[in-house]
Amino acid sequence: MCGIFATNYRLCEKTVRASLIAMKHRGPDDSGVLISNEVTLGHVRLAVLDLSIAGHQPMSANGLGVHIVFNGEIYNHVDIRNTLGDRYSYLGTSDTETLLYAYIEYGKEFVTRLNGIFGFAIYDTRSNELIVARDPFGVKPLYYYEKEGTFIIASEIKAIIQVPGVDLALRTEAFADYLHYLWSPGEGTPFRYVHKLLPGHLLSIKCPRPGSGTISKFFEIPFEGDYIDASESELADELDDRLCRAVGRQLLSDVPVGFFLSGGLDSSLMVAIARNHFGYCGNCYTIRSIDPISKDGFADDIGFAKKVATDLGVSLHEVDGDFTIENEFETMIWHLDEPQADPAAINVLQIAREARKNGDVVLLSGAGGDDVFSGYRRHQALRFHRLLKFGGILGASSFRAVLSVFDSRLPLIRRIRKMLKGAGMSERRRLLTYFAWTDMELVESLFSSTYRERLANHDPFRILNESLECIPAEESTLNQMLFLEMKHFLADHNLNYTDKMSMALGIESRVPFLDKELVDFSCRLPPKMKLNGCTTKYLLRKVAERYLPNCVVYRSKTGFGAPVRSWVKLGRVDNMIVEYLSRKRLRCDDIFDVDAIERLVRDTRAGKLDGSYAIWSLLAIQVWLERFSRAVAS
């Protein structure tokens, strides 16, 4: 894992170095720069495969006029080398060198042959073209700045804003999305001219500046409504085999490999497969919480993590979940690049810090299991859609009136209210509402009158709705939701914080559940093999029975998060509210309505509404403005 930087024009070395220093945490082992009249390439390296100087980047194909900067891992790179045969002379064993010659051999089409996680920029002097691509599921982040033919590409936004002269105008709609979802779907970031390159997309830029860019899609999550016709036992055997191959591929490393082990089904199964099939017995990491998280809809996993570690005979490191929220919050937002309001990111940061102390450089994660095989409560809630349809708006309104007497912060009350929001909506619209955390009506009320006018035509569900048009043949509502989980919730949220928080400490996170071949198989599974009655991950649990005790396999779903609602209620974030949501701070940008925010805080503390995550989101936005917008402007 590394950090990459590229432009379609010549930059002075001092500026390139400043951008590389801004993301030095991504590559503490080495750095390099290539400057020509047409492009600039920069790289910071975390050495994982081929630790020698032969892995140095930018890397050039000897005498062939092609150069690359690469971030990620290609799990099938040995197979690709074998296919290329002896047509090329390799200096080392890195997957970067494999990529370089695969491009020379196959052209841009080579990206379809890759099974891995990546963000790269290739400069081809033969066509005078800069070619940029991001992996199919967006495991690795990749941003680009574009204005008037100027392109700047980087693994992190903080590297882009080091370049003098970039236009950092803000995009109001993004702040509304961060409040609505806790993340921003699709290409958008808080900066109008900085975009996320979408997963499975390739950007071709003619050089030098002013250049033109063309974006093309090379991969789509293959939900086609065509399911495998086989028995449950046959499907379980196939799933078992694919899981083992995915884990085996991702254990590839020349440095120590560890595991996230929360004690949940997904991470426990990853460790069990690695232990039983590949003899893995390295370090595992879990968070030991000190907060009353069960009252916030979470549960402490530590007991399950200990049991799994004991049964499998692996070393478990319990990472203390006690931390100063103010200090970690600012660190979190700086590394996230975006004002994402999910405290789970802090847990990842804590674990990465401990892993680095122990010398582990790679960590395998269970991320993606819920999104690929159906593990969230909102998937179970789909089964009640028919009741909403027949109950109608009147019945739902009556039920909401009854619920209004209960404290809105209670987990069960929150979940029922969220489900009832869909009454009277079309099935498609109802599906989309499950991804929202804060009602758009409340979100809009928090903005100043000027900014509220700019949101008048903003539909926060537009991008998700348009995404579903990519899978017209998939009629299963569950699979449509899983498509959105992978397309947006993972790529725009979960994977971003997993990568950024790990790489903040120079740790590479890998996600076997997002192995390309495994996801392809999952998309062709009959929906009942994912959600059977109210049993989530039905087939995955059947496979897990072969490796883990039933108390782990069939335990209730818990979140990998932190008790934000309890923190707000008990006053643990009061100092942050006083500092970042003060009238003076809020009036600096005139983005938000000061009175509306003060009312939000009062009503949340009184239990009149469930506004804790809206408050957390506002804090994230204000800290982001302080570090990314105001700091650069000054």
Side-chain angles (χ1 to χ4, degrees), residues 37 169 215 245 276 281 357 393 442 479 513 543 565 603:
N37 289 329
I215 294 179
R245 279 187 276 163
N276 292 353
C281 54
K357 287 180 185 177
I393 300 174
L442 174 59
N479 279 349
F513 277 113
V543 172
R565 294 180 179 93
D603 289 349

Side-chain angles (χ1 to χ4, degrees), residues 29 36 46 172 233 270 297 321 377 441 473 495 527 529 547 608:
D29 299 325
S36 75
L46 176 65
T172 312
S233 61
M270 293 294 99
R377 293 187 184 95
E441 184 179 351
L495 294 175
M529 290 293 104
Y547 297 92
K608 293 180 180 179

Side-chain angles (χ1 to χ4, degrees), residues 340 367-368 371 376 488-499:
Q340 287 178 250
D371 313 82
Y376 295 124
H488 293 292
F489 183 71
L490 269 178
D492 295 322
H493 180 54
N494 193 312
L495 294 175
N496 186 61
Y497 77 66
T498 299
D499 173 88

Side-chain angles (χ1 to χ4, degrees), residues 606-618:
K608 293 180 180 179
L609 58 81
D610 180 25
S612 296
Y613 273 88
I615 293 170
W616 190 259
S617 295
L618 287 165

Side-chain angles (χ1 to χ4, degrees), residues 321-525:
D322 186 16
F323 52 83
T324 303
I325 298 174
E326 294 95 324
N327 294 343
E328 296 293 10
F329 190 84
E330 293 190 13
T331 300
M332 176 185 79
I333 297 301
W334 171 247
H335 283 291
L336 282 175
D337 279 325
E338 302 177 44
Q340 287 178 250
D342 192 335
I346 299 178
N347 288 343
V348 178
L349 184 68
Q350 299 287 89
I351 288 174
R353 191 173 286 141
E354 183 68 17
R356 251 303 178 178
K357 287 180 185 177
N358 294 328
D360 288 315
V361 179
V362 175
L363 291 180
L364 268 66
S365 163
D370 291 317
D371 313 82
V372 173
F373 292 102
S374 176
Y376 295 124
R377 293 187 184 95
R378 56 179 171 253
H379 303 155
Q380 294 171 313
L382 291 176
R383 300 190 60 80
F384 298 97
H385 272 198
R386 190 172 300 173
L387 294 177
L388 287 177
K389 182 177 180 180
F390 290 110
I393 300 174
L394 185 59
S397 298
S398 300
F399 201 6
R400 278 197 292 265
V402 173
L403 292 174
S404 66
V405 302
F406 295 93
D407 191 329
S408 63
R409 293 168 298 195
L410 295 173
L412 179 61
I413 301 302
R414 290 198 310 269
R415 290 164 191 156
I416 293 175
R417 282 179 172 172
K418 193 165 189 176
M419 186 176 68
L420 291 176
K421 286 178 188 176
M425 295 182 183
S426 67
E427 187 168 3
R428 168 74 67 87
R429 193 73 173 186
R430 194 159 58 235
L431 182 85
L432 303 180
T433 62
Y434 282 107
F435 291 92
W437 276 77
T438 304
D439 287 336
M440 199 59 193
E441 184 179 351
L442 174 59
V443 169
E444 291 177 353
S445 74
L446 299 175
F447 285 85
S448 66
S449 57
T450 302
Y451 279 81
R452 205 177 305 141
E453 289 176 7
R454 299 180 189 179
L455 294 173
N457 297 316
H458 177 59
D459 178 5
F461 293 122
R462 178 185 61 81
I463 292 175
L464 274 65
N465 197 35
E466 290 176 353
S467 291
L468 288 175
E469 301 303 319
C470 297
I471 53 168
E474 183 57 77
E475 297 181 355
S476 163
T477 304
L478 174 64
N479 279 349
Q480 290 173 1
M481 181 173 266
L482 294 178
F483 176 80
L484 292 176
E485 302 284 7
M486 285 186 262
K487 190 84 170 176
H488 293 292
F489 183 71
L490 269 178
D492 295 322
H493 180 54
N494 193 312
L495 294 175
N496 186 61
Y497 77 66
T498 299
D499 173 88
K500 299 284 184 59
M501 295 298 98
S502 299
M503 291 304 293
L505 277 301
I507 295 286
E508 172 180 302
S509 286
R510 298 179 178 177
V511 280
F513 277 113
L514 294 181
D515 175 88
K516 193 175 177 181
E517 293 179 7
L518 179 60
V519 172
D520 177 74
F521 174 72
S522 77
C523 292
R524 295 183 293 115
L525 280 175

Side-chain angles (χ1 to χ4, degrees), residues 276-292:
N276 292 353
H277 287 276
F278 304 100
Y280 163 83
C281 54
N283 293 319
C284 295
Y285 298 89
T286 194
I287 283 283
R288 182 178 64 253
S289 177
I290 64 163
D291 284 300

Side-chain angles (χ1 to χ4, degrees), residues 467-610:
S467 291
L468 288 175
E469 301 303 319
C470 297
I471 53 168
E474 183 57 77
E475 297 181 355
S476 163
T477 304
L478 174 64
N479 279 349
Q480 290 173 1
M481 181 173 266
L482 294 178
F483 176 80
L484 292 176
E485 302 284 7
M486 285 186 262
K487 190 84 170 176
H488 293 292
F489 183 71
L490 269 178
D492 295 322
H493 180 54
N494 193 312
L495 294 175
N496 186 61
Y497 77 66
T498 299
D499 173 88
K500 299 284 184 59
M501 295 298 98
S502 299
M503 291 304 293
L505 277 301
I507 295 286
E508 172 180 302
S509 286
R510 298 179 178 177
V511 280
F513 277 113
L514 294 181
D515 175 88
K516 193 175 177 181
E517 293 179 7
L518 179 60
V519 172
D520 177 74
F521 174 72
S522 77
C523 292
R524 295 183 293 115
L525 280 175
K528 68 178 181 179
M529 290 293 104
K530 301 169 186 174
L531 182 64
N532 195 319
C534 284
T535 301
T536 57
K537 300 180 188 171
Y538 178 78
L539 190 66
L540 187 67
R541 294 183 196 275
K542 292 299 180 183
V543 172
E545 288 176 358
R546 305 173 181 182
Y547 297 92
L548 299 165
N550 277 3
C551 65
V552 174
V553 174
Y554 291 100
R555 61 172 296 199
S556 299
K557 169 68 181 171
T558 62
F560 181 64
V564 170
R565 294 180 179 93
S566 295
W567 288 348
V568 172
K569 181 179 179 181
L570 300 175
R572 284 198 65 185
V573 296
D574 279 0
N575 290 340
M576 292 170 60
I577 291 173
V578 169
E579 181 177 0
Y580 287 107
L581 300 186
S582 68
R583 286 180 169 264
K584 181 179 179 181
R585 286 285 184 93
L586 290 169
R587 284 172 174 163
C588 281
D589 306 286
D590 192 33
I591 295 174
F592 297 108
D593 184 316
V594 178
D595 293 332
I597 289 177
E598 289 182 346
R599 187 164 53 250
L600 169 70
V601 173
R602 285 198 309 270
D603 289 349
T604 298
R605 285 172 172 164
K608 293 180 180 179
L609 58 81
D610 180 25

